[in-house]
Amino acid sequence: MPENHTYPGQERFVADPEDVTVGAIDAVDQDVQPAGFWMTAWLQLRSKPLFWVCVAMLTIIVLVVLFPSLFAFGKDPHAASLDRSLLPPSSTYWFGTDLQGHDIYARTIYGARASVLVGVLTTLAVVVIGGLLGAAAGYYGGRLDSLIARVSDIFFGIPLMLAAVVVMQMVTSRTVYSVVLVLTIFSWPQLARIARSAAISVRNEEYITASKSLGASKFRTLFTHVIPNCLGPVIVVATVGLGIYIVTEATLSYLGIGLPASEVSWGMDIADGQQLLREGTPILFFPATALAITVLTFMMLGDVLSDALDPKARTR
């Protein structure tokens, strides 16, 4: 059979593998550069329709939190008048009014600010405290690891909701920051464990060894190499945790031990609407629906990020 014979519908084959020049292989390797971790994650994220749905919903939530007056059309959520008590939905009051005559639509819009603010501030504080302590414990090991592990075990064994209820009942001055402080104290251990596991998995990598060989201190290596490579699982847990903190704040406000009455909160509006539900006035469904949509957005975003930032999930 001729060496270079080509059959119809088939490509010409090369009998001798050496016919493929080394230069051609090198050219291909030089043209195609491997994508980094974050670029690979972004390429996977942007191909998922659910990610763009979450981005659209998150954009609306952020705009409502930053500019509530634009969405409430200048209506004051604190303005009350018994003359318009329990009005049904209309062109003037889209969601109707409550027992005191508040515009339910305006309160639903403004209620997003306090709830989301508590969730965002708590998440940032938990990421900073839990992330740093967990990464340091996993990278340094030894006594520091044992100390942080024992302290985190103490807080980890206390349920977040139970601890928040007990502590907030003892707080006399309740503000957004006091709620954030309480939630942070009892929430950082979970994220610290995630960061510790991630730090342990990367501390023996080649780039860590190379950093030590170049004379970098452990402290510098921790911040320049270890922590950046632990951000993947930390971001996933923090995104899901943000939704949990929003629910926790709403629950505390629902019980009357969360934000003060001067703040507009979905939890307080749900509590007020519950009293009227038996009378056939379902005003609690509006703040409850807003709360559910917000939490669902962060939960879905965390699920999408989990698939993109998990190297094992990419190979499935």
Side-chain angles (χ1 to χ4, degrees), residues 81-315:
S81 176
L82 295 178
D83 295 336
R84 56 172 186 260
S85 176
L86 298 178
L87 292 179
S90 61
S91 58
T92 304
Y93 305 104
W94 290 3
F95 295 167
T97 59
D98 61 8
L99 186 62
Q100 288 77 28
H102 295 108
D103 188 336
I104 299 175
Y105 173 75
R107 291 186 65 86
T108 301
I109 293 297
Y110 276 87
R113 169 172 288 182
S115 298
V116 175
L117 182 61
V118 169
V120 171
L121 293 180
T122 304
T123 301
L124 292 177
V126 168
V127 167
V128 173
I129 297 174
L132 290 178
L133 291 179
Y139 178 62
Y140 285 100
R143 295 182 179 180
L144 180 62
D145 186 16
S146 300
L147 176 61
I148 295 177
R150 298 293 79 78
V151 174
S152 63
D153 287 341
I154 297 175
F155 289 94
F156 196 80
I158 305 175
L160 174 62
M161 183 58 66
L162 177 61
V165 170
V166 173
V167 175
M168 288 303 299
Q169 286 182 336
M170 298 184 294
V171 176
T172 55
S173 178
R174 297 169 184 165
T175 63
V176 170
Y177 302 104
S178 63
V179 176
V180 170
L181 179 61
V182 171
L183 295 182
T184 302
I185 291 175
F186 295 98
S187 299
W188 68 268
Q190 180 183 8
L191 198 138
R193 287 191 172 188
I194 300 298
R196 176 182 177 272
S197 300
I200 291 176
S201 65
V202 304
R203 67 183 179 185
N204 295 323
E205 295 290 339
E206 294 180 357
Y207 54 85
I208 301 295
T209 305
S211 178
K212 295 179 182 178
S213 302
L214 293 175
S217 63
K218 284 190 174 182
F219 183 80
R220 181 178 179 181
T221 303
L222 174 65
F223 281 89
T224 57
H225 297 289
V226 177
I227 292 180
N229 286 278
C230 296
L231 289 179
V234 169
I235 291 176
V236 174
V237 175
T239 305
V240 177
L242 200 157
I244 296 176
Y245 303 141
I246 293 176
V247 173
T248 304
E249 180 279 321
T251 304
L252 294 175
S253 298
Y254 172 82
L255 297 175
I257 55 176
L259 298 179
S262 58
E263 295 284 347
V264 181
S265 172
W266 287 331
M268 286 186 289
D269 288 348
I270 292 174
D272 294 338
Q274 183 185 17
Q275 302 175 2
L276 301 173
L277 185 60
R278 295 182 178 180
E279 300 177 6
T281 307
I283 62 176
L284 70 82
F285 289 114
F286 298 109
T289 301
L291 174 63
I293 292 175
T294 302
V295 174
L296 180 63
T297 299
F298 289 106
M299 291 296 182
M300 291 191 303
L301 182 61
D303 185 59
V304 174
L305 291 176
S306 177
D307 294 337
L309 299 178
D310 185 5
K312 296 180 180 179
R314 295 178 187 171
T315 58

Side-chain angles (χ1 to χ4, degrees), residues 8-67:
Q10 294 183 347
E11 296 181 356
R12 177 177 177 272
F13 72 93
V14 180
D16 189 357
E18 294 182 357
D19 288 349
V20 181
T21 62
V22 177
I25 297 178
D26 293 339
V28 173
D29 292 339
Q30 293 176 1
D31 293 339
V32 180
Q33 297 294 334
F37 175 81
W38 296 106
M39 179 57 68
T40 304
W42 165 245
L43 292 176
Q44 182 170 353
L45 281 175
R46 71 180 188 179
S47 64
K48 292 182 176 293
L50 182 59
F51 170 72
W52 294 111
V53 172
C54 294
V55 169
M57 296 173 64
L58 188 60
T59 302
I60 296 175
I61 293 172
V62 171
L63 291 176
V64 169
V65 171
L66 295 178
F67 311 104

